[in-house]
Amino acid sequence: MKLGVCYYPEHWPEERWALDARLMRDLGLDLVRIGEFAWARMEPAPGQADWAWLDRAIETLTGAGLQLLLGTPTATPPAWLSRAHPDILRVDADGRSRNHGSRRHACLNNPTYRAESRRIVTAMAERYGEHPALVGWQIDNEFGGGGTARCYCDHCAAAFRAWLAARYGAIEALNEAWGAVFWSQTYADWSQIDPPDDRVDKPNPSHALDYARFCSDATAAYQQEQVDLLRRLSPGRFMTHNFMGLFRELDPFDLAASLDLATWDSYPTGNLERWGPALAPDPEGQYAPDVGHPLITGMAHALTYALKRAPFWVMEQQAGAINWGRINPGVRPGTTRLWCWHALAEGASAVVFFRWRATLFAQEQYHSGLLRHDGSPGGGLADVRRLAAERERLAAIAAHPRANRVGLLIDFADLWALELQPHRAGFDYLAHLFVYYQALARLGIGVDLVPADADLAPYTLLVAASAHLGNAALAGRLESWVRQGGQLLFGVRAGFKTPSNRVTDEPLPGVWRSLVGATIVDWQALPDGVGWPVVGEVPGLVGPAGTWVETLRTETARPLAHFQLPDGPVPALVAHERGAGRVTTLGWVPTVAQAASLLATLLVAAGIPPGPALAPGLVAARRGPYLLLLNFTDGPLAATAAGRDVTVPARDVVVLADDAVLEPPQV
Ligand code: GAL
């Protein structure tokens, strides 16, 4: 397990670099990431390069024994470029251009910016690509960050039209796929189509879904140019991008396809603020105030692992207070170490801290660093020292993959389609997945996120929370996986739409119907506070059913639970035996407790042994023979794992190997 740090030599006097490098090594860090925002220092004026400072910075850092990770600086085109070519500035949905003065202000589809990006990356790679200490490249920085996933400039419009022409072939096919006859949207020519910006009231959801897909594809195509250059000029180094966990606006699977390694930027206190309202609107208040929400962090780790189905890096690990949240809570000693152990437990193989020293200027002045503004040790530093001393244990665990047998299917087109038309306030695709994620966590069972084209063989239980757009290829693969013994659970809103985001004309759940063995007869949203009573044979699975309900009519499936309606009972949960496996379909959005009851039964059917019994606030994760128990509260908590009673100290971790508790390493 490698440990590293993000460093900005351009922010500090050159005389300081050697001391910083020595302190990094003394701390036990292995690597340093630099360069990703330094374009204006690399090229102060058009045609004028200045690499000397970066040469010296690299020599100072690597000379001290640090490995090097270089970021390409394309998230921050310099002022001379923005001013010479104002059309590189991206345009928001309301038609306003971004301006110079921050970052990510250029449009990835702009030909000038594309050419300039290739040029600076080529120059950087020619200069440093074969540096012996260089281990990898981070391409750009957080694609889509700062509200930049979508641009609506003329170049994007042209590229979107070309993308549509390639996808549909003929304009008539697009009209059909989008249902463009509605409100006389019908197009006679590609040139009539614009991106769905704010000038239309409620864009056609098929149009908007295709724009989301296009923006992901366009970002991947932009990234691909850098990947191609770097592979040629810097052979043997890994290519990565720092993703943003549960960020929704770009499909990270599209972007990860051509990368070697997935990484993400983990800011647990900030992520609780930005994702918590949708995912966990009523936090149970069981976690310490400075740890964030470990299950939200955990699901983001799981997603990053899923991108390459391999161990990932945390490329920016919060190690103190951040500056961009609402409250920005202080982070106490112990919490940064806990976050790193958690990342490891969920499949990380390296953690890079953000950032070495708190900046004295500009946008992130209130952001912590491992060193404070004055260069003295910050709160997270002692945690990093402790982690460095625990390295042997960390490395032994990092050598193992995640070994989960439960998968949660995830599909960004489903997410976007339901975001475009949630139909009921509060219905949220990721929140629905998160219900099942939390339920499994409560049962002490690890879960992977599984994209539609993944190999299903590692899993014995799969949950398709909202398989909204029919996917005939996946239906076929699920059918044979179930027949071979898989346990599949469908949740609500399955199969309602076609891939182009129209409603299917088949009885619901459309392409999944033969798997389900039942028809969804009726669906409806329920107002807050309204619940339908449920009676059934699954232990613990009792009503009420709220939010969104779907009544079923069994064909070859059999009912396991019924809604008790005034006119009589109606199937609410059905099971369908298929070969050696079974498909179970649930007709409402469960609470976490309801989901846990149902999953407990399905886990038994899937032959998955029970997880550890966990007090609330504990999180369990398994890597190979290791079981890690992490306590995110301010008091000691009890767990029972493999028949053994264990106490996990506050904001700390206990590691079991082959069911024996390992003594904490002496540090
Ligand atoms: C990340 C970004 C970094 C820095 C950091 C502050 O999203 O990649 O450059 O801004 O946030 O928390």
Side-chain angles (χ1 to χ4, degrees):
M1 171 113 166
K2 280 189 202 295
L3 299 174
V5 72
C6 304
Y7 187 52
Y8 299 93
E10 67 275 22
H11 294 184
W12 304 102
E14 192 164 335
E15 310 80 66
R16 174 77 198 192
W17 296 348
L19 175 60
D20 282 335
R22 186 162 55 70
L23 292 174
M24 289 174 197
R25 282 306 282 160
D26 289 351
L27 188 57
L29 299 178
D30 309 288
L31 61 96
V32 62
R33 182 194 73 174
I34 62 170
E36 81 276 14
F37 299 127
W39 191 342
R41 284 294 307 272
M42 297 169 186
E43 290 190 331
Q48 209 188 92
D50 179 4
W51 299 107
W53 70 274
L54 189 52
D55 293 352
R56 292 194 298 274
I58 288 176
E59 282 329 301
T60 305
L61 293 162
T62 61
L66 292 158
Q67 293 183 326
L68 180 67
L69 188 67
L70 283 174
T72 68
T74 44
T76 48
W80 56 259
L81 186 54
S82 313
R83 295 303 176 237
H85 301 278
D87 77 320
I88 72 164
L89 298 173
R90 60 169 60 247
V91 175
D92 286 332
D94 63 1
R96 266 175 34 142
S97 290
R98 294 280 172 115
N99 203 349
H100 193 85
S102 181
R103 56 182 170 179
R104 304 220 60 80
H105 44 282
C107 167
L108 306 183
N109 287 311
N110 180 285
T112 308
Y113 175 62
R114 287 278 267 254
E116 289 292 309
S117 297
R118 289 193 298 272
R119 202 182 46 68
I120 188 70
V121 171
T122 304
M124 221 180 149
E126 281 174 344
R127 195 159 189 98
Y128 305 115
E130 306 215 61
H131 192 289
L134 178 68
V135 292
W137 291 88
Q138 172 188 301
I139 294 168
D140 208 284
N141 189 82
E142 294 190 342
F143 284 126
T148 63
R150 316 251 187 279
C151 168
Y152 298 85
C153 74
D154 291 345
H155 295 287
C156 286
F160 180 46
R161 291 176 197 125
W163 183 92
L164 291 169
R167 184 176 178 88
Y168 292 103
I171 196 77
E172 295 75 21
L174 174 138
N175 283 322
E176 176 64 19
W178 288 8
V181 65
F182 195 79
W183 290 350
S184 276
Q185 291 164 50
T186 308
Y187 300 101
D189 186 84
W190 306 106
S191 65
Q192 295 175 340
I193 305 173
D194 277 339
D197 62 24
D198 279 358
R199 291 171 303 167
V200 285
D201 171 40
K202 298 184 201 71
N204 179 327
S206 299
H207 183 178
L209 176 60
D210 272 347
Y211 204 62
R213 288 178 167 133
F214 158 75
C215 291
S216 265
D217 284 358
T219 309
Y222 172 84
Q223 177 185 254
Q224 188 66 46
E225 294 188 348
Q226 296 197 23
V227 170
D228 292 344
L229 281 170
L230 293 171
R231 288 214 189 283
R232 185 162 55 76
L233 297 170
S234 187
R237 277 72 180 180
F238 66 76
M239 308 288 145
T240 190
H241 173 70
N242 53 339
F243 291 94
M244 290 185 285
L246 304 181
F247 178 71
R248 297 162 181 244
E249 290 169 43
L250 296 171
D251 184 339
F253 291 98
D254 287 347
L255 280 154
S258 64
L259 301 175
D260 304 303
L261 169 74
T263 72
W264 83 287
D265 297 344
S266 178
Y267 292 94
T269 66
N271 291 338
L272 171 57
E273 285 191 1
R274 65 180 168 188
W275 302 329
L279 298 185
D282 309 309
E284 293 171 31
Q286 64 199 19
Y287 302 119
D290 63 340
V291 301
H293 191 311
L295 300 184
I296 291 179
T297 310
M299 191 152 98
H301 285 317
L303 178 59
T304 314
Y305 189 94
L307 297 179
K308 299 303 289 183
R309 216 186 129 60
F312 61 92
W313 287 25
V314 176
M315 187 59 94
E316 295 179 14
Q317 172 62 59
Q318 179 177 359
I322 57 164
N323 69 306
W324 47 265
R326 213 168 45 83
I327 305 292
N328 301 312
V331 174
R332 292 167 296 166
T335 293
T336 299
R337 172 176 169 270
L338 178 65
W339 284 332
C340 291
W341 272 97
H342 188 206
L344 172 83
E346 298 288 351
S349 59
V351 174
V352 181
F353 297 95
F354 189 88
R355 50 184 273 157
W356 174 243
R357 180 168 169 185
T359 181
L360 301 177
F361 41 71
Q363 276 89 332
E364 296 183 343
Q365 296 175 37
Y366 275 92
H367 202 292
S368 63
L370 291 181
L371 301 187
R372 295 179 203 276
H373 295 95
D374 65 3
S376 63
L381 196 90
D383 280 37
V384 179
R385 184 167 290 122
R386 193 157 165 213
L387 285 159
E390 295 174 311
R391 180 180 310 247
E392 233 171 88
R393 169 85 42 94
L394 295 164
I397 299 168
H400 296 273
R402 284 162 74 101
N404 296 322
R405 292 170 60 191
V406 183
L408 261 180
L409 288 165
I410 184 162
D411 188 306
F412 276 72
D414 287 342
L415 184 160
W416 293 326
L418 283 163
E419 215 160 53
L420 287 161
Q421 293 179 298
H423 196 62
R424 187 208 193 276
F427 188 96
D428 181 85
Y429 176 83
L430 276 189
H432 193 200
L433 260 67
F434 192 58
V435 169
Y436 291 101
Y437 185 91
Q438 291 172 94
L440 288 157
R442 204 179 264 197
L443 296 167
I445 299 293
V447 55
D448 283 358
L449 293 183
V450 179
D453 59 358
D455 177 14
L456 306 178
Y459 305 103
T460 44
L461 170 59
L462 284 173
V463 180
S466 281
H468 194 51
L469 308 184
N471 178 335
L474 178 61
R477 294 174 55 233
L478 284 171
E479 173 79 41
S480 52
W481 174 84
V482 170
R483 285 187 176 281
Q484 287 160 37
Q487 292 285 326
L488 174 62
L489 172 63
F490 276 111
V492 297
R493 311 198 67 166
F496 189 64
K497 296 281 193 104
T498 69
S500 73
N501 210 9
R502 300 167 47 129
V503 180
T504 178
D505 61 0
E506 291 173 41
L508 297 178
V511 299
W512 317 118
R513 189 156 148 254
S514 64
L515 271 164
V516 166
T519 299
I520 294 164
V521 185
D522 194 19
W523 49 264
Q524 57 177 292
L526 296 180
D528 290 340
V530 174
W532 284 6
V534 179
V535 172
E537 59 189 69
V538 177
L541 185 62
V542 289
T547 315
W548 185 278
V549 287
E550 299 187 346
T551 53
L552 292 137
R553 185 180 58 234
T554 51
E555 277 133 25
T556 39
R558 72 192 161 86
L560 295 180
H562 290 86
F563 296 121
Q564 302 298 312
L565 300 181
D567 294 339
V570 181
L573 174 71
V574 304
H576 193 213
E577 312 296 331
R578 300 295 270 172
R582 185 192 299 149
V583 182
T584 305
T585 303
L586 178 67
W588 77 93
V589 177
T591 61
V592 175
Q594 289 170 340
S597 298
L598 177 57
L599 287 163
T601 303
L602 297 180
L603 288 164
V604 173
I608 296 172
L614 304 169
L618 276 181
V619 172
R622 198 173 261 292
R623 272 186 95 162
Y626 295 99
L627 176 67
L628 290 91
L629 302 173
L630 301 122
N631 180 347
F632 287 88
T633 75
D634 277 329
L637 290 176
T640 308
R644 180 187 293 274
D645 291 331
V646 183
T647 300
V648 188
R651 286 183 300 124
D652 207 338
V653 58
V654 164
V655 182
L656 290 89
D658 292 324
D659 301 336
V661 178
L662 299 184
E663 287 306 314
Q666 294 305 311
V667 297

